[in-house]
Amino acid sequence: MYEMSVKRIAVCAGGAALVALTSFAAWRLWPRTIDVKVPDSGLVWYVDSGGHQQVTMPGRKLVGFLGHYDNELFAYLVFDLAQSRQSATGRDVMLMLNPGDRPTYTIAVQCPDDLADCADEIARLRSRGIGNTTYRAFLTPASVAHLREETQVFIQAWNGPVHDVFRDLSPTQRAAYVSRFLRFKAATDRRVLGDSTLSPLSHDEALGLAGDIIAVADFYDLPLSYFLGIGAMENNYLNVNGDLRHRVWKRRADPGDVIVRHGARGVLVENPALGVWQITRETLRFAHSLYLQDRSRDYNKLPPRLQPARKLDIDHVPPETLTTYAGLLLRYLLDHFHGDVSLAVGAYNGGPGSPNSSYEMGVSRVADYARRILDRAALIHAAAVEEVAP
């Protein structure tokens, strides 16, 4: 073995060597001469029998730190995603509390005990939207064991039974929790990760959309978790149009239609899906007709931004009122199928004549997860408030 030093290695005063590489690409693609002058750190470099070069610290475990978060719900969502991604590798993901007046939460992952392999591991997770910072530390086995124990406390707290505490919160409190769920889903969307022009939801955007979703769900008496599941399945709450090449035949064109061609059956028109809820133009016209016929509800009870105009301008529908139309469609489908949530959700995608069971299963998975995670957040918050109450 040959002791060595890398210029990008820094030794932490606490005894853990924190390794801050400028980037994974720089480490892998730009090899540099390595100076041998870190006798105090205990880092060693060697070449194994297969010719693979490794940098390790005997007697220590290498841990990669992925991110710091100031909100426990958001931190747990990221941790849970990282945990699912790491399940095939057998390496632990850990979540820890940094106490203080404004506590923060840190996510870490057990790495292979080699700096380059650890960089690979972290780069793979970061490419999936996991983490907001990167550094590595060689820790004692006892320290790693303590982190695992602390992680189990979080897992037990966030995986208990559902008590339906969330539904008893005020709309403002519910919106605060739901907004973090929306931000998490949007931030880990593959399109956001792969397209620098598409941004995840900002704090204010997520909070506004969360408030609108809750208001519409309350107004139409919808199961909130399934409404959230539809938003996740359709577009991960991103306001981006989809199915841009989708077209439909109709007998005659309506105002605003883009006609592709004429035929014996009428006209073929563009029918893209719009916004967060991916409502096609033709479905939007149907939803608007439901709105005009709805005499059983007082739409003045909705916030003005959620109230559809009496006349539909198909090319200029505000995203807020799209949420109202999506809620009205789900309400119509629930009534059509006599309250059968599975058929109603499947029909949101496949239509009343052919509900999409695969789509319904995806929505149900998100709905179950959202219901559990939001309820646990509310329960943990309630316990914390009770603990500090005089």
Side-chain angles (χ1 to χ4, degrees):
M1 294 186 179
Y2 304 91
E3 288 195 1
M4 64 155 289
S5 168
V6 182
K7 292 181 179 178
R8 292 186 177 85
I9 293 178
V11 179
C12 177
L18 302 182
V19 183
L21 304 183
T22 54
S23 71
F24 166 64
W27 174 262
R28 281 299 191 196
L29 303 179
W30 295 92
R32 306 185 177 215
T33 301
I34 299 175
D35 297 328
V36 184
K37 54 177 182 181
V38 197
D40 297 331
S41 72
L43 289 173
V44 296
W45 168 77
Y46 70 94
V47 181
D48 63 21
S49 58
H52 178 64
Q53 301 183 47
Q54 295 190 351
V55 180
T56 65
M57 182 179 288
R60 298 294 182 99
K61 298 293 184 181
L62 184 55
V63 173
F65 291 84
L66 296 170
H68 303 292
Y69 303 91
D70 59 8
N71 177 267
E72 185 175 348
L73 171 56
F74 195 92
Y76 189 82
L77 289 168
V78 177
F79 162 78
D80 205 29
L81 176 62
Q83 193 177 41
S84 69
R85 293 289 185 263
Q86 286 295 99
S87 59
T89 70
R91 300 191 185 96
D92 289 338
V93 179
M94 293 164 283
L95 177 61
M96 66 207 76
L97 168 67
N98 310 303
D101 294 337
R102 301 185 66 179
T104 59
Y105 304 85
T106 299
I107 299 172
V109 61
Q110 176 192 354
C111 275
D113 291 329
D114 169 60
L115 292 177
D117 289 342
C118 186
D120 284 349
E121 195 80 11
I122 291 176
R124 183 179 63 82
L125 290 169
R126 289 294 298 274
S127 70
R128 290 166 169 79
I130 299 170
N132 57 14
T133 187
T134 300
Y135 62 93
R136 286 154 285 279
F138 282 99
L139 304 179
T140 65
S143 296
V144 176
H146 176 74
L147 294 182
R148 289 194 178 110
E149 291 173 1
E150 188 173 350
T151 301
Q152 288 303 311
V153 174
F154 281 103
I155 291 174
Q156 292 171 13
W158 284 92
N159 286 273
V162 174
H163 296 83
D164 288 332
V165 178
F166 178 78
R167 66 181 180 181
D168 297 328
L169 299 178
S170 70
T172 300
Q173 290 173 318
R174 284 186 286 159
Y177 288 123
V178 169
S179 69
R180 288 155 191 156
F181 185 78
L182 305 187
R183 285 179 61 205
F184 164 75
K185 292 294 291 181
T188 54
D189 185 279
R190 290 185 178 183
R191 294 167 297 173
V192 171
L193 299 174
D195 183 356
S196 60
T197 65
L198 184 60
S199 301
L201 296 177
S202 69
H203 173 273
D204 290 343
E205 288 170 338
L207 193 60
L209 179 57
D212 291 347
I213 289 172
I214 290 168
V216 168
D218 289 347
F219 183 72
Y220 289 115
D221 192 22
L222 304 174
L224 176 63
S225 60
Y226 282 92
F227 199 29
L228 288 171
I230 288 173
M233 281 291 289
E234 290 296 337
N235 225 3
N236 266 342
Y237 314 111
L238 296 169
N239 186 20
V240 181
N241 292 343
D243 283 342
L244 299 180
R245 296 184 179 181
H246 184 247
R247 299 166 179 177
V248 63
W249 283 97
K250 55 195 299 188
R251 293 197 174 194
R252 62 182 63 86
D254 288 298
D257 277 341
V258 177
I259 300 173
V260 178
R261 72 171 182 265
H262 296 268
R265 291 184 291 172
V267 291
L268 182 66
V269 299
E270 300 282 2
N271 192 35
L274 309 176
V276 170
W277 304 97
Q278 293 294 275
I279 303 175
T280 65
R281 289 165 67 95
E282 293 306 304
T283 302
L284 183 57
R285 287 193 170 96
F286 174 71
H288 188 70
S289 71
L290 293 176
Y291 164 67
L292 295 177
Q293 297 165 27
D294 191 353
R295 299 289 186 268
S296 62
R297 299 178 182 87
D298 181 4
Y299 280 81
N300 289 319
K301 292 182 179 180
L302 279 175
R305 67 181 180 279
L306 296 175
Q307 298 174 22
R310 298 299 295 178
K311 184 176 181 180
L312 177 64
D313 183 350
I314 196 74
D315 292 313
H316 300 93
V317 180
E320 294 81 7
T321 53
L322 278 176
T323 300
T324 303
Y325 285 125
L328 178 54
L329 281 170
L330 182 56
R331 180 70 264 166
Y332 164 79
L333 292 167
L334 284 166
D335 294 341
H336 178 80
F337 289 107
H338 309 290
D340 190 317
V341 177
S342 294
L343 288 176
V345 168
Y348 186 94
N349 177 264
S354 55
N356 186 333
S357 59
S358 297
Y359 176 87
E360 183 275 327
M361 286 190 290
V363 169
S364 292
R365 282 194 295 269
V366 176
D368 290 343
Y369 185 69
R371 184 186 306 111
R372 176 175 63 81
I373 209 76
L374 293 173
D375 182 73
R376 297 308 294 179
L379 189 64
I380 291 169
H381 172 77
V385 171
E386 184 176 335
E387 183 178 338
V388 300

